[in-house]
Amino acid sequence: MPTKPLVAIVDDDESIRVTTKDLLESAGLNAAAFASAEDFLSSGLLPSVSCAIADMRMPGMSGLALHEHLLASGNPISTILITAYPDELVRARALQAGVVAYLTKPFTDDELLGCISSAVRPGQRSV
């Protein structure tokens, strides 16, 4: 029986974490939510995560810094960055750094699910 990909949601806004987790689970994905990049990194789930959705602006480590940290530490997890404060220079830097997508809030459920579908490819990690 095929396993479902695990998607990590990293956002300091609890309402975003809850609604995004509900959306992903209703779409048939496994989801785990974290209030900070540091919580995610210390969770022990990195080996199981297929994709991470991370807010650009959080206390402590930003979403882009999290993506760069994952790459540098040998955990190249597909990352989707979300932000309420779009910046074209940051967007360009993020895409150059290899993020899957840079979405501006508010985005539609279909936009996010489409990005996740692109990020989670056959043969990637699942739980």
Side-chain angles (χ1 to χ4, degrees):
M1 178 175 177
T3 55
K4 298 184 212 178
L6 176 61
V7 179
I9 303 151
V10 185
D11 198 310
D12 59 319
D13 183 329
E14 182 179 10
S15 66
I16 297 289
R17 289 193 311 270
V18 170
T19 58
T20 304
K21 188 173 191 290
D22 288 347
L23 169 68
L24 299 185
E25 289 175 346
S26 71
L29 298 165
N30 286 318
F34 305 92
S36 70
E38 294 81 4
D39 288 350
F40 171 53
L41 291 171
S42 66
S43 71
L45 290 177
L46 290 181
S48 303
V49 173
S50 297
C51 175
I53 301 165
D55 190 19
M56 273 298 299
R57 281 185 158 181
M58 296 182 284
M61 188 182 288
S62 72
L64 182 54
L66 171 61
H67 173 71
E68 291 169 340
H69 176 83
L70 290 169
L71 289 177
S73 64
N75 292 294
I77 296 171
S78 298
T79 304
I80 298 166
L81 297 178
I82 58 176
T83 185
Y85 306 95
D87 178 314
E88 281 306 309
L89 291 175
V90 174
R91 179 183 183 279
R93 179 176 162 217
L95 293 173
Q96 185 175 31
V99 300
V100 174
Y102 180 93
L103 295 176
T104 301
K105 298 175 189 176
F107 45 81
T108 68
D109 293 353
D110 288 341
E111 285 175 307
L112 181 60
L113 291 173
C115 290
I116 293 169
S117 179
S118 295
V120 178
R121 295 185 178 91
Q124 283 193 329
R125 316 169 209 201
S126 6
V127 294

